[in-house]
Amino acid sequence: MLVIVKDSYDEMSREAARIIADRLRKKPDLVLGLATGSTPLGMYKELIRMHREEGLDFSKVTTFNLDEYVGLPPDHDQSYYYFMKENLFDHINLDPRFVHVPQGMAKDVDAFCGWYEERIRRAGGIDIQVLGIGANGHIAFNEPGSSLGSRTRIKTLTGTTRQDNARFFASMEEVPKFAITMGVGTIMDAKELLLLANKQSKANAVRTAVEGPVTASCPASIIQMHRSAFVVLDKGAASELTGLYNDTWESKIFP
Ligand code: GLP
């Protein structure tokens, strides 16, 4: 696990984009796992800039998003599909045939989840998976207590997560109660992980994930078991870590 601490959100975002762009230049048909939330927005902006100004080419890339709310159609302004369209898909040259976001309106959710797993397998597996972290240590919508071996499935959202996301909806009642999410096991199968976190409000979750015991009580702590995980933080999110990490990062020839 490589923990990289940057001075600001912008620097964190640029560092993360640099890692993705490097992987993409080395493998034009990259299989890229994507995340929603406010955290990766700066990274998406930087990838869009690289596409426009440096010709970063996404035409052969396949994407898989981590999760989606159950019951929201793709054109609902709070669906994760809509979020991705607004903040990334519409601004780069992805082939829509290669874009995958779980279908919140799937009639047979279990069948859909099996199909999603199969689709990831057929694409050759995810090369690099972007992750945020919930204040309670969740990754994607794998809430505390989620099986560390879980696969894509429907999950009930906790009160904390619904409250965290309530700001985006007109009222608490409108916040969905369920989501389809890749499982912790699905995420761990990705060849590389890139977890981003910023702000002091994530410091406790980050410390628990990076330095605490590996436990289903903090699903993000499973990254300690991954053979190639990057954790890119701003100073606020890193503020409760006790270890010194940048030394190893800065002396790397290349990650
Ligand atoms: C949601 C998403 C997660 C995301 C988390 C943190 O729960 N399902 O994938 O990591 O929110 O969101 P933010 O980046 O806005 O703090």
Side-chain angles (χ1 to χ4, degrees):
M1 184 174 55
L2 259 172
V3 180
I4 305 156
V5 184
K6 304 304 282 188
D7 283 337
S8 65
Y9 174 72
D10 286 349
E11 280 186 48
M12 176 203 84
S13 301
R14 278 197 294 273
E15 191 70 18
R18 194 177 75 85
I19 294 171
I20 302 272
D22 171 75
R23 300 311 189 254
L24 178 49
R25 289 192 186 103
K26 286 177 179 148
K27 186 174 186 269
D29 61 346
L30 194 73
V31 182
L32 180 57
L34 296 171
T36 51
S38 49
T39 311
L41 280 175
M43 183 190 75
Y44 292 152
K45 278 205 180 101
E46 176 64 3
L47 287 173
I48 293 166
R49 188 200 64 74
M50 286 170 149
H51 168 66
R52 288 191 180 143
E53 293 174 16
E54 298 167 18
L56 191 65
D57 180 16
F58 291 84
S59 63
K60 297 188 177 70
V61 170
T62 299
T63 68
F64 288 96
N65 260 82
L66 286 169
D67 47 10
E68 178 61 284
Y69 290 118
V70 167
L72 297 192
D75 59 354
H76 187 290
D77 65 0
Q78 289 309 322
S79 78
Y80 282 173
Y81 181 83
Y82 190 92
F83 175 98
M84 291 309 301
K85 218 171 118 53
E86 289 275 290
N87 294 298
L88 185 68
F89 297 162
D90 280 355
H91 311 287
I92 56 176
N93 64 332
L94 280 168
D95 183 332
R97 290 174 305 161
F98 302 157
V99 168
H100 304 87
V101 179
Q103 287 169 17
M105 298 299 282
K107 284 207 181 78
D108 184 340
V109 172
D110 287 347
F112 174 79
C113 293
W115 176 87
Y116 205 66
E117 288 276 334
E118 181 56 24
R119 195 80 184 191
I120 294 172
R121 254 192 309 275
R122 283 205 190 168
I126 292 170
D127 289 308
I128 183 161
Q129 174 67 56
V130 177
L131 294 169
I133 182 170
N136 63 3
H138 73 229
I139 42 173
F141 270 133
N142 296 284
E143 298 282 24
S146 292
S147 156
L148 297 181
S150 52
R151 311 302 305 185
T152 303
R153 70 215 183 290
I154 187 167
K155 284 292 287 179
T156 310
L157 304 180
T158 62
T160 327
T161 298
R162 290 186 67 233
Q163 232 140 34
D164 282 353
N165 291 331
R167 64 187 191 277
F168 302 115
F169 293 84
S171 68
M172 188 64 189
E173 289 66 55
E174 284 182 34
V175 185
K177 295 190 173 68
F178 303 98
I180 294 175
T181 180
M182 278 189 206
V184 180
T186 320
I187 292 168
M188 285 296 282
D189 282 350
K191 286 158 204 142
E192 291 187 298
L193 300 181
L194 177 58
L195 186 145
L196 309 180
N198 68 303
K199 291 194 191 151
Q200 180 80 35
S201 56
K202 296 290 175 70
N204 183 50
V206 166
R207 184 186 49 77
T208 313
V210 171
E211 295 182 343
V214 174
T215 165
S217 303
C218 175
S221 64
I222 195 70
I223 57 169
Q224 295 176 43
M225 302 287 288
H226 196 278
R227 63 188 187 278
S228 185
F230 297 92
V231 180
V232 189
L233 308 170
D234 77 346
K235 279 194 164 160
S239 58
E240 290 186 23
L241 293 178
T242 56
L244 287 175
Y245 298 99
N246 276 355
D247 290 2
T248 42
W249 170 241
E250 277 154 13
S251 58
K252 283 241 175 249
I253 296 171
F254 197 79

